[in-house]
């Protein structure tokens, strides 16, 4: 275990907090970005420069996010987390751990499915400048299925993240305990 001891309660390390907030920001940008670009492309059938740029940005950001989350996961497994906030009911503790590990899993599986999907399509080009490495041989029918699953699991990630955010606000404003402070930037 490797965490800061601030006396009353323990916080995540500065690195863990930085990784959390960069990932959170990334996911909160990727969800509306994915929905907007696929609405323009699939629903409006509007394949102009803006739609292309949105797709390129989504692929590049998602690809970078995948490696960031992989690094974060390794960091988490090596350094652990501070002991649970005291005073939580067992159900709250288990629920929180379950949601956190599901989020970690989805943050790996969702971008990986996106990457496999664009490999199958194939649509690996980013801004017409370079291509992501291919993970599979072209197969357009399979691409449709994989990207469909990618979209559904991305929405599930959004729903879990919303639950997670509501829980953090509940701890901060209703229970008024130290849970949010454990992850807050700075020294809390
Ligand atoms: C955490 C990372 C990611 C999140 C949260 C995310 C989220 C989303 C969302 C919400 C959609 C729209 C789904 C829908 O319209 O139902 C989408 C579509 C898409 N994503 Fe991602 N994505 C991520 C990473 C990636 C990566 C790494 C790639 C490829 C390298 C990728 C490629 C695509 C493509 C091609 C679509 C469009 C599918 C279509 O138009 O039918 N995504 N993504
Ligand atoms: C406003 C947005 C957010 C707030 C206020 C927030 C708050 C928190 C807090 C307080 C913790 C620590 C919980 C504890 O002490 O046990 C935490 C952990 C975590 N959060 Fe968030 N979070 C936000 C957004 C997100 C998003 C968007 C994601 C990913 C989709 C995410 C993923 C995680 C994960 C995986 C952990 C577990 C950390 C670990 O134990 O390694 N969070 N968050």
């Amino acid at each position: 275990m490797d965490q800061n001891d601030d006396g009353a309660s323990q916080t995540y390390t500065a690195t863990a907090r930085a990784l959390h907030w960069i990932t959170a920001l990334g996911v909160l940008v990727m969800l509306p970005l994915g929905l907007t670009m696929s609405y323009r492309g699939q629903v409006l059938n509007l394949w102009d420069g803006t739609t292309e740029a949105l797709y390129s940005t989504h692929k590049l950001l998602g690809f970078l996010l995948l490696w960031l989350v992989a690094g974060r996961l390794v960091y988490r497994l090596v350094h652990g987390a501070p002991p649970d906030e005291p005073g939580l009911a067992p159900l709250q503790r288990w629920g929180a751990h379950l949601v956190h590990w599901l989020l970690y899993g989805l943050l790996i599986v969702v971008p990986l499915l996106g990457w496999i999907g664009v490999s199958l399509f194939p649509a690996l080009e980013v801004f017409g400048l370079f291509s992501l490495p291919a993970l599979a041989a072209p197969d357009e029918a399979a691409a449709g299925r994989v990207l469909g699953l990618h979209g559904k699991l991305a929405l599930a990630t959004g729903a879990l993240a919303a639950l997670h955010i509501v829980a953090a606000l509940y701890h901060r404003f209703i229970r008024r305990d130290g849970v949010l402070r454990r992850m807050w930037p700075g020294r809390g």
Side-chain angles (χ1 to χ4, degrees), residues 12 20-21 24 72 76 100 104 164-165 179-180 182-183:
Y12 283 86
H20 172 271
W21 290 109
R72 182 178 169 197
R76 172 65 164 84
H100 294 163
Y104 274 127
H164 172 76
I165 293 167
V179 167
L180 184 57
R182 292 152 58 85
M183 194 49 102

Side-chain angles (χ1 to χ4, degrees), residues 12 20-21 23-25 27-28 72 76 80-81 84-85 96-97 99-101 103-104 107 157 161 164-165 168-169 179-184:
Y12 283 86
H20 172 271
W21 290 109
T23 319
L25 184 69
V27 172
L28 297 179
R72 182 178 169 197
R76 172 65 164 84
D84 288 323
E85 173 76 6
H97 288 195
V99 169
H100 294 163
W101 287 109
L103 283 172
Y104 274 127
L107 291 176
T157 310
H164 172 76
I165 293 167
L169 296 176
V179 167
L180 184 57
R181 198 155 56 94
R182 292 152 58 85
M183 194 49 102
W184 202 246

Side-chain angles (χ1 to χ4, degrees), residues 2-23:
D2 176 19
Q3 64 276 328
N4 303 325
D5 186 347
D6 69 352
S9 73
Q10 293 182 309
T11 61
Y12 283 86
T13 62
T15 309
R17 283 177 279 147
L19 289 169
H20 172 271
W21 290 109
I22 297 169
T23 319

Side-chain angles (χ1 to χ4, degrees), residues 30-31 34 37-38 42 55 58 62-63 111 114-115 118 132 150-151 154:
M30 286 297 284
L31 289 169
M37 72 186 198
S38 82
Q42 309 303 327
Y55 269 86
H58 184 88
F63 183 74
W115 186 6
V118 292
L132 300 177
H150 168 75

Side-chain angles (χ1 to χ4, degrees), residues 12-77:
Y12 283 86
T13 62
T15 309
R17 283 177 279 147
L19 289 169
H20 172 271
W21 290 109
I22 297 169
T23 319
L25 184 69
V27 172
L28 297 179
V29 167
M30 286 297 284
L31 289 169
L33 184 57
L35 290 170
T36 308
M37 72 186 198
S38 82
Y39 179 75
R40 289 174 70 95
Q42 309 303 327
V43 180
L44 302 181
N45 202 17
L46 182 62
W47 290 101
D48 60 0
T50 306
T51 306
E52 300 284 355
L54 292 175
Y55 269 86
S56 280
T57 309
H58 184 88
K59 286 187 268 186
L60 184 58
L61 259 186
F63 183 74
L64 295 176
L65 210 52
L66 170 63
W67 297 109
L68 183 80
V69 172
R72 182 178 169 197
L73 203 49
V74 171
Y75 181 88
R76 172 65 164 84
L77 295 173

